[in-house]
Amino acid sequence: MDLFAESDALAREAADPSRRADFLVPPWPGAAGAEWAYFAGNSLGLQPRGAAAAIEEELAAWAELAVEGWFEGARPWLASADELRPSLARLAGAEPEEVVAMNTLTVNLHLLMATFYRPTPERFRIVIEDAAFPSDSHAVASQARHHGFDPASAVVRLQPRAGEAALRTEDIVSELERLRGGVALVLLGGVNYLTGELVEIPEVTAAAHDIGAVAGWDLAHAIGNVPLELSAWGVDWAAWCHYKYVNAGPGAPAGAFVHSRHASDRSLPRLAGWWGNDPAERFRMEPGFVARPGAVGWQVSTPTVLAFAPLRASLELFDAAGIRALRERSVRLTGYLESLLDVVVAERRARVLTPREPGRRGCQLSLAVREARILAARLRSEHGVICDVREPDVVRFAPIPLYSSYHDCWRAATALRELLPAA
Ligand SMILES: *Cc1c(COP(=O)(O)O)cnc(C)c1O
C-alpha cells in the first residue's frame, strides 16, 4: 500500500482517534472548512473548549462575592492552588504534596536554585546541556554570578558527539564522573526543546547523586508529553511550564516539584513569601516564617486565580484521557509521521535530528533543513501546516496525542515533500 495514500491516514484516524473535539482548532482559510494542521503545541498548546467557561466561573465569583470569593462559593480561591495538585501529581508521577502550580517557569527555576544550588569553593559547577533553552542558560549563569562564581568556569555545557544531535546517557554519566566533586547541580531538560530527545531521567538522576550532586530537571517539554515518575526516580526538584503540552494558555502558571525527602525540610533556605507560610500563621501578619510542608512551601505570592482556570480545564482533559494512554497514541502517531518523513528525507534535502527509538523521544520530531523560516512560512500559507522554527535551520513538528490527527501528519509530510528541494 502507498504510505502516502490520504485514505490510509483517514483510516488510521478512524481506528485511533484524537480528542480534537475538546479543543478549539483555528480555521485555515486556504480551503473550505479546513483547519490548521497544528504542530506547534510544543510551543503553545491549543485552547481547551472548557477554558472560557472556567475563566467565566471565576469572573462570576468575583462579581458576586468580591473579597469573599477567597473563602466562599463553589471554588474558594484560597484552595485554588491546592485543588490542582492531584492532577499535576498524576502528570509528574508524584505525590500531591510534592507539586505546586505557581509563577512561571524561569522564576521557578530561580526559586528552586535558591534552595538547591548551594555552591562551595570546591563544589560549585552547574551541568547543563549545550543545547539548553536560552532562558535556562541565563538562569544558571546568573545563579553562578549571584554566588560570586564566573559562569565561564561554573557552567559546564554537555555536547553531543561529533556528527550527532542528541546526547548519549553514557556520555552524560561519564562526564559527571569526570567532574565528580566539582558538581553542585545537574540541570538538564527532560525532553530537549530543540532535538526532541527524551533524556533517561532516572539514570542521569542516579549518576548525579553518585557524585554527590543535586539533580534538578527542566520539564517544559516533558510534562504532558511523556509519563513521568519523578518521585520514584528520586529527582530532587523540577520545574516546567503549562502553556506547551499542557494547553493552559499563553503565560499560564508554571509547575514545580520538590521531592518529599526535601519538601518538608523547613530548614532549607528559600526565597520566602507569605503564601509559603503555614496558613495557620499567614494571616497573623507576624514576621516569623514557618514553611508549609510540601512544594507549596516554595510559593511566594498570592495565587493567580484567573490564570489557574484554563489550567484546571486542561488538567480535566488529561485526567479523562490518562497520560499513559495518551503516550501510547503519541508513540503510534509520531511513528506514523516518522515513517512518512523517512520517505521525504530519502528524496529531499532534510535530516531528522530526533532519536529514532520511541523510548528516547517525546512526540516531537525535529528536522534540519535549509532556510527554515521560509519553509515554515510556505507550509503555513500554502498548506495550512503550522510548525515551529528554531533559527537557523530547525523546524519542529509535534503531533499532540490529544488533538493532532493522522491526517494532520499526512498533510505535513505531503507538504514537505512538495516544498523541500530535491536531495
Ligand atoms: C519553554 C521553555 C522555557 C520558557 O521559560 P518561561 O519562563 O516560561 O518563559 C524555559 N526553558 C525551557 C527548557 C523551555 O522549553
Side-chain angles (χ1 to χ4, degrees), residues 6-282:
E6 185 174 10
S7 57
D8 176 49
L10 294 170
R12 286 175 195 258
E13 185 63 21
D16 187 15
S18 76
R19 294 169 171 254
R20 196 183 189 88
D22 291 332
F23 291 87
L24 297 169
V25 185
W28 179 49
E35 294 170 336
W36 276 355
Y38 193 72
F39 290 94
N42 54 355
S43 184
L44 181 70
L46 292 181
Q47 182 180 144
R49 267 185 202 279
I55 297 172
E56 289 290 344
E57 192 184 331
E58 303 301 2
L59 289 175
W62 180 18
E64 286 157 23
L65 298 168
V67 71
E68 300 303 334
W70 286 104
F71 315 100
E72 291 175 16
R75 223 182 262 290
W77 301 328
L78 262 187
S80 60
D82 287 326
E83 72 173 354
L84 299 171
R85 294 163 83 197
S87 303
L88 286 181
R90 282 187 277 278
L91 289 186
E95 298 300 322
E97 293 68 37
E98 294 175 311
V99 294
V100 63
M102 60 182 189
N103 313 310
T104 42
L105 168 54
T106 311
V107 172
N108 288 346
L109 291 175
H110 276 300
L111 286 179
L112 290 163
M113 281 194 275
T115 296
F116 292 105
Y117 176 56
R118 317 294 324 288
T120 66
E122 297 75 39
R123 188 188 280 279
F124 60 88
R125 292 204 160 84
I126 306 174
V127 175
I128 64 171
E129 68 276 55
D130 193 43
F133 195 88
S135 198
D136 300 43
S137 291
H138 305 321
V140 297
S142 63
Q143 283 282 334
R145 223 175 272 121
H146 181 72
H147 288 279
F149 294 95
D150 178 1
S153 57
V155 178
V156 179
R157 307 182 70 97
L158 299 173
Q159 307 260 6
R161 293 186 188 185
E164 297 186 7
L167 291 166
R168 297 190 192 199
T169 307
E170 71 254 37
D171 292 353
I172 301 174
V173 171
S174 64
E175 182 64 2
L176 293 182
E177 279 165 359
R178 192 182 69 77
L179 296 164
R180 270 216 160 258
V183 180
L185 172 66
V186 179
L187 175 57
L188 300 180
V191 172
N192 183 265
Y193 82 100
L194 188 63
T195 64
E197 174 186 14
L198 169 58
V199 177
E200 291 182 288
I201 299 174
E203 286 78 0
V204 174
T205 295
H209 290 164
D210 281 348
I211 61 163
V214 169
W217 290 89
D218 184 326
L219 300 175
H221 281 262
I223 195 87
N225 179 10
V226 295
L228 298 165
E229 290 295 340
L230 301 185
S231 218
W233 295 339
V235 164
D236 293 293
W237 62 271
W240 57 84
C241 53
H242 288 125
Y243 50 80
K244 294 172 179 168
Y245 293 93
V246 185
N247 313 317
F257 164 88
V258 180
H259 198 278
S260 59
R261 69 176 174 278
H262 307 300
S264 298
D265 183 350
R266 287 180 163 155
S267 72
L268 287 173
R270 66 187 87 197
L271 298 180
W274 70 319
W275 279 81
N277 199 12
D278 192 324
E281 311 279 331
R282 187 183 297 147

